[in-house]
Amino acid sequence: GGGYGGKGGGKGRKGCFTCGGDHLARECPSGGGGGGGIQSSGTWTYNYPPGSEGYCAPEIYRQWPYDYTADMYSFGVLLWVMVSGGARQSLRPPSTIDAGNAGPSWLGRKDDWDALRRCLESPNDFGVAQAPTGALADVIRRLTSFDESLGRRRLQLRMTHDQIRGHPVFARYTLPGFSAEVEVVQEWVNSWAAKLCEARSKL
């Protein structure tokens, strides 16, 4: 999977799954595996940010220091894409939503977080196919928050692992704990896979 690459912040593989420091397999579009306590200086490698265009946290585009909360941002974008189907107007939220967008333009993506914020607030203005509402909109908003006034001085304040597990959107799924062993996670995955198969058989 990706990695913070020590002080430099290594180039992560796009859309990979990794077992990070919390032992949980998860998509890691920002290239930042591992749990809290690991921090990158924000330096790019070969003039490329560590992650996938549209999913990178805004602090990465600005080459500011970042930690695991950059992955939280990417997770929020992933939820947005899965739920909403994206925006169809000229204002592009962070995504790989706009198929007409040819090639990466890293610096042009640094304010995608604000585009997503506006799409959440006014979905009809931007042709959002299915706007998330209620608790789901809340969790996406909190995962993708960004405070530019913090600058390079402080890391971004987003949802923690415990806050995600306790949020109404996820609480009913009884996600494995932060330090759960791989066997516990696999048992949880198998359990839900069996439930989904049973539900599909009844359709």
Side-chain angles (χ1 to χ4, degrees):
Y4 287 111
K7 294 183 178 179
K11 182 75 175 76
R13 291 183 299 176
K14 295 186 177 182
C16 62
F17 283 84
T18 179
C19 283
D22 54 5
H23 305 293
L24 296 183
R26 63 187 186 281
E27 182 156 321
C28 193
S30 279
I38 301 176
Q39 181 177 332
S40 168
S41 66
T43 305
W44 292 4
T45 303
Y46 302 115
N47 294 320
Y48 278 87
S52 301
E53 180 189 8
Y55 289 90
C56 286
E59 59 267 29
I60 292 179
Y61 288 127
R62 288 163 172 75
Q63 300 189 54
W64 292 352
Y66 63 89
D67 64 354
Y68 79 97
T69 58
D71 280 343
M72 298 303 186
Y73 178 91
S74 302
F75 179 45
V77 176
L78 186 63
L79 286 178
W80 157 259
V81 174
M82 292 174 62
V83 173
S84 72
R88 306 299 180 209
Q89 305 299 329
S90 58
L91 172 61
R92 294 173 302 164
S95 63
T96 49
I97 293 173
D98 185 354
N101 179 31
S105 176
W106 305 114
L107 294 179
R109 290 290 193 176
K110 67 184 181 66
D111 292 322
D112 275 353
W113 68 275
D114 188 53
L116 176 51
R117 178 188 63 80
R118 286 183 279 166
C119 284
L120 284 169
E121 291 179 354
S122 306
N124 293 333
D125 293 345
F126 304 109
V128 177
Q130 184 170 328
T133 59
L136 192 51
D138 175 71
V139 76
I140 294 173
R141 187 178 296 108
R142 292 173 63 188
L143 285 169
T144 59
S145 66
F146 179 63
D147 185 351
E148 190 154 18
S149 68
L150 295 176
R152 296 181 62 89
R153 295 172 290 118
R154 291 179 56 196
L155 298 171
Q156 293 296 314
L157 301 176
R158 298 194 179 101
M159 295 182 76
T160 65
H161 292 89
D162 286 341
Q163 287 173 336
I164 289 175
R165 286 172 171 79
H167 193 278
V169 170
F170 300 106
R172 61 176 175 157
Y173 299 112
T174 57
L175 293 167
F178 180 85
S179 59
E181 297 296 329
V182 173
E183 293 78 12
V184 175
V185 177
Q186 189 61 58
E187 183 179 351
W188 180 87
V189 171
N190 291 342
S191 173
W192 276 100
K195 291 177 183 178
L196 289 173
C197 287
E198 182 180 358
R200 291 185 64 180
S201 68
K202 295 179 179 179
L203 293 178

